[in-house]
Amino acid sequence: MHIASSPFAAHQAKPAASGFFIAPEKADSPVKQEFLEYARMTPAEKVRRDILEAMGLKEEDLAGLDPKLREAIENRIKETIKMKVEASEEQQTGVYIDIKA
């Protein structure tokens, strides 16, 4: 039986133009959705999420906190983002180092 005529043909890997096989996609894969959400985040959003995760919080949790505590956490997030931006601006790229000396 030829694969194209198989009732399972729609669910089988298909050769790509490069000759490699591409696995069929699962449209609602939670892993894929999580990756896409992360990939669409700005660097500041990633830092924010990482800080909240380190504290064991999510955005929903933060919204329900006491206003003073929430403000303290928001200030910490802002300072961390500011430090990371300043650190990345200080990095010199393309600097030549003579290792023979």
Side-chain angles (χ1 to χ4, degrees):
M1 176 186 276
H2 190 269
I3 292 177
S5 62
S6 166
F8 304 107
H11 302 289
Q12 294 188 6
K14 298 176 183 173
S18 64
F20 291 101
F21 282 86
I22 300 173
E25 291 186 29
K26 293 182 180 179
D28 296 341
S29 166
V31 175
K32 181 179 177 181
Q33 292 301 319
E34 185 178 341
F35 170 76
L36 291 175
E37 287 174 16
Y38 184 80
R40 291 179 184 128
M41 288 180 166
T42 65
E45 290 170 333
K46 290 175 184 176
V47 170
R48 179 181 180 86
R49 190 198 72 166
D50 292 346
I51 292 170
L52 289 176
E53 278 186 4
M55 299 174 107
L57 298 172
K58 294 184 179 188
E59 288 291 340
E60 299 82 25
D61 302 326
L62 186 62
L65 292 177
D66 173 68
K68 288 185 180 183
L69 181 57
R70 180 184 169 130
E71 183 180 356
I73 293 171
E74 294 285 358
N75 288 336
R76 178 176 173 195
I77 292 169
K78 288 176 189 174
E79 287 300 316
T80 303
I81 291 170
K82 182 180 175 183
M83 288 185 330
K84 288 189 178 264
V85 168
E86 289 172 352
S88 69
E89 289 175 351
E90 291 175 3
Q91 290 179 348
Q92 295 181 5
T93 57
V95 176
Y96 176 76
I97 299 174
D98 186 1
I99 59 171
K100 294 179 185 177

